[in-house]
Amino acid sequence: MIDLRVRAATPDDLDAVLAFWKVAAEGTSISDDRAGVERLVARDPETLILAELDGELVGTVIAGFDGWRCHLYRLAVHPERRRRGIGSALLTAAEERFVRLGGRRGDAMVLVRNETAQHAWRAAGYAPEEKWRRWVKPLGD
């Protein structure tokens, strides 16, 4: 994919990212709003990685590193652009970022019902870790 550009998001990209997730991402998150994504990018300007093809946003991944663990969220590729290496390019960029920062293992949040995503993660070398369960508690309204 010669024309694919992978880069960190800027504050100017955030409205486009939020609109893109409505089309390309599975499920919603409590943080899927302008304020949440602004905080993300302000805290770590390289964490939200975008893929563009001829200037069009075609993919995203959040590659969060807290200094201890590497977390992947919102790997999303536009439905009309899937199976062309965009997700792989995004994961390569995320994994390279993690290695640069000293990370040793990446983990991904994947919806149980999203079989397409599970197949993609397996193809990328990730595996479910059945002995762990995610526990959550909302911290406000």
Side-chain angles (χ1 to χ4, degrees):
M1 222 180 243
I2 297 169
D3 296 334
L4 188 68
R5 179 177 180 219
V6 177
R7 66 174 179 86
T10 68
D12 292 338
D13 296 312
L14 303 187
D15 289 330
V17 167
L18 288 165
F20 176 79
W21 285 344
K22 288 179 181 177
V23 172
E26 175 74 21
T28 58
S29 167
I30 195 170
S31 303
D32 284 359
D33 58 24
R34 176 79 189 201
V37 181
E38 281 178 343
R39 276 191 305 276
L40 174 74
V41 172
R43 182 182 178 281
D44 184 350
E46 295 180 1
T47 196
L48 177 53
I49 302 170
L50 308 181
E52 298 173 323
L53 190 57
D54 298 325
E56 175 192 353
L57 179 60
V58 294
T60 66
V61 69
I62 297 173
F65 182 64
D66 60 16
W68 187 41
R69 300 242 170 112
C70 307
H71 306 288
L72 294 156
Y73 309 94
R74 284 293 184 219
L75 176 62
V77 175
H78 192 283
E80 296 174 4
R81 305 288 190 158
R82 292 180 181 157
R83 303 200 52 79
R84 298 182 190 179
I86 295 167
S88 294
L90 286 164
L91 284 178
T92 295
E95 291 165 358
E96 288 172 353
R97 168 179 155 73
F98 292 152
V99 169
R100 221 177 26 254
L101 294 171
R104 296 184 280 177
R105 179 183 68 190
D107 66 55
M109 298 289 297
V110 184
L111 287 171
V112 172
R113 71 174 188 261
N114 191 338
E115 292 181 25
T116 301
Q118 290 181 39
H119 175 74
W121 284 103
R122 274 193 184 86
Y126 290 76
E129 199 168 79
E130 301 297 337
K131 64 184 176 184
W132 295 97
R133 179 164 307 268
R134 181 174 181 223
W135 293 55
V136 298
K137 176 183 178 183
L139 300 176
D141 298 333

